[in-house]
Amino acid sequence: MTEIKINVVGAGRVGKTLISLLDGTDGCRIQDILSTSFQSANEAAQLSKTGRVAASYADLRPADLWILSVPDTQISAVAHELKEAFENQEKTGKPSVAFHCSGYFPAEQLAPLRSLSWSLSSVHPVLSFADPQAAAAQFKEALCGLEGDEDATALIQPLLEGLGATCFPIRSESKSLYHAAAVISNNFAVVLQAIAREAWAEAGVPDETARKLNAGLLSSTVENVDLLGPQSALTGPAARGDSEVVAQQGADVAAWHRDAGEIYKQMSLLAQKLKATGFTK
């Protein structure tokens, strides 16, 4: 198997996770690592047996695969920097494959690199990267949204699947809606748990008990949604049609926390639609 030389731009939590996973994988070699933070780049390099910290874009060597694990708003700027650094075709050698890790932007955010004849893709691991070590351990069961050029995905998908991930296609034109679904499923669920804990505290429930209530309800909800689907798993006053309870409870929540009261009202309306039709729209 031909060795795949990999350069990484961006050595934050996602970059460190991918470096630790790909280093030592058969046929892969981490080559250069560039980050706005030298400390982060150095820490990432230490996760690899072969990774070298690059001082600048001009210091980066040609690679077969480029991973841009930078914040969403920096992807286009990094692509421009790479284009300028590699416009000399003698330096680039054969065309490379590049992907970014944004769940929001499609592969075309890397469009400046097309002038180098590079193939482009985006990879969105549906995983929390709050802790790189935990993310690396969980990656073997991760789902990864993949879109972009066919020859790029043909190289990237086997690598990800070799790490234990399962890839699924995303329509490039629907990337924003796709990512919003992930935000609703994950981030907003966390916000709702915070509101619930604050409400329990306001109601006089001890913190440790609230934590157990939170954990028990959340785990059973996940299990029921997975087993039964959202419509059948839905319970509570809105699902039962207890309009009087919904109205009074919504007013009580609003009196305590205006924004949470509005969330309660709108979520109750969506819950009624879901229970009645199977859809929220």
Side-chain angles (χ1 to χ4, degrees):
M1 177 186 290
T2 303
E3 183 181 64
I4 300 173
K5 296 189 293 293
I6 302 172
N7 285 354
V8 181
V9 180
R13 290 175 291 191
V14 176
K16 287 187 175 95
T17 300
L18 293 175
I19 287 169
S20 67
L21 287 166
L22 289 168
D23 182 60
T25 299
D26 287 345
C28 292
R29 178 166 67 87
I30 302 297
Q31 182 177 252
D32 294 339
I33 302 167
L34 179 65
S35 181
T36 53
S37 166
F38 176 82
Q39 180 179 344
S40 292
N42 192 48
E43 290 172 355
Q46 290 175 8
L47 296 171
S48 165
K49 300 180 182 67
T50 56
R52 176 188 75 108
V53 176
S56 66
Y57 286 96
D59 191 35
L60 292 165
R61 292 169 289 180
D64 303 303
L65 178 62
W66 292 78
I67 300 174
L68 277 64
S69 54
V70 298
D72 289 9
T73 54
Q74 295 178 20
I75 294 171
S76 180
V78 169
H80 279 284
E81 293 279 5
L82 285 174
K83 174 194 170 184
E84 291 181 5
F86 283 85
E87 280 180 324
N88 180 351
Q89 291 299 313
E90 291 182 1
K91 182 177 180 181
T92 61
K94 66 179 182 179
S96 301
V97 169
F99 74 82
H100 68 68
C101 300
S102 170
Y104 173 73
F105 284 114
E108 278 305 304
Q109 196 72 3
L110 299 172
L113 298 173
R114 290 203 182 280
S115 67
L116 305 177
S117 299
W118 290 14
S119 298
L120 312 177
S121 182
S122 76
V123 173
H124 181 237
V126 188
L127 192 67
S128 172
F129 286 91
D131 179 85
Q133 284 188 321
Q138 296 164 1
F139 201 90
K140 58 179 171 290
E141 297 179 355
L143 294 167
C144 291
L146 189 62
E147 61 89 28
D149 298 335
E150 186 175 346
D151 48 349
T153 58
L155 172 68
I156 296 164
Q157 185 166 343
L159 286 181
L160 297 173
E161 291 177 345
L163 299 175
T166 299
C167 296
F168 62 93
I170 310 170
R171 291 200 304 269
S172 300
E173 66 274 15
S174 301
K175 195 79 184 287
S176 178
L177 187 60
Y178 154 79
H179 188 249
V183 170
I184 292 166
S185 179
N186 181 13
N187 306 124
F188 288 176
V190 174
V191 175
L192 291 175
Q193 306 319 306
I195 294 171
R197 287 203 186 187
E198 292 169 26
W200 274 319
E202 182 69 15
V205 177
D207 183 65
E208 181 60 21
T209 301
R211 188 189 67 77
K212 292 178 180 178
L213 286 168
N214 193 183
L217 286 170
L218 196 57
S219 62
S220 62
T221 298
V222 170
E223 183 177 340
N224 289 338
V225 169
D226 185 47
L227 180 65
L228 305 173
Q231 183 181 26
S232 296
L234 185 64
T235 62
R240 293 193 300 268
D242 291 342
S243 56
E244 184 177 341
V245 172
V246 171
Q248 184 58 56
Q249 198 165 70
D252 292 339
V253 173
W256 162 67
H257 187 321
R258 185 183 63 183
D259 292 339
E262 185 61 28
I263 291 171
Y264 182 94
K265 176 182 176 182
Q266 295 301 323
M267 292 293 281
S268 294
L269 291 173
L270 293 176
Q272 290 169 353
K273 289 181 183 179
L274 175 61
K275 200 63 176 180
T277 69
F279 299 93
T280 61
K281 187 176 178 182

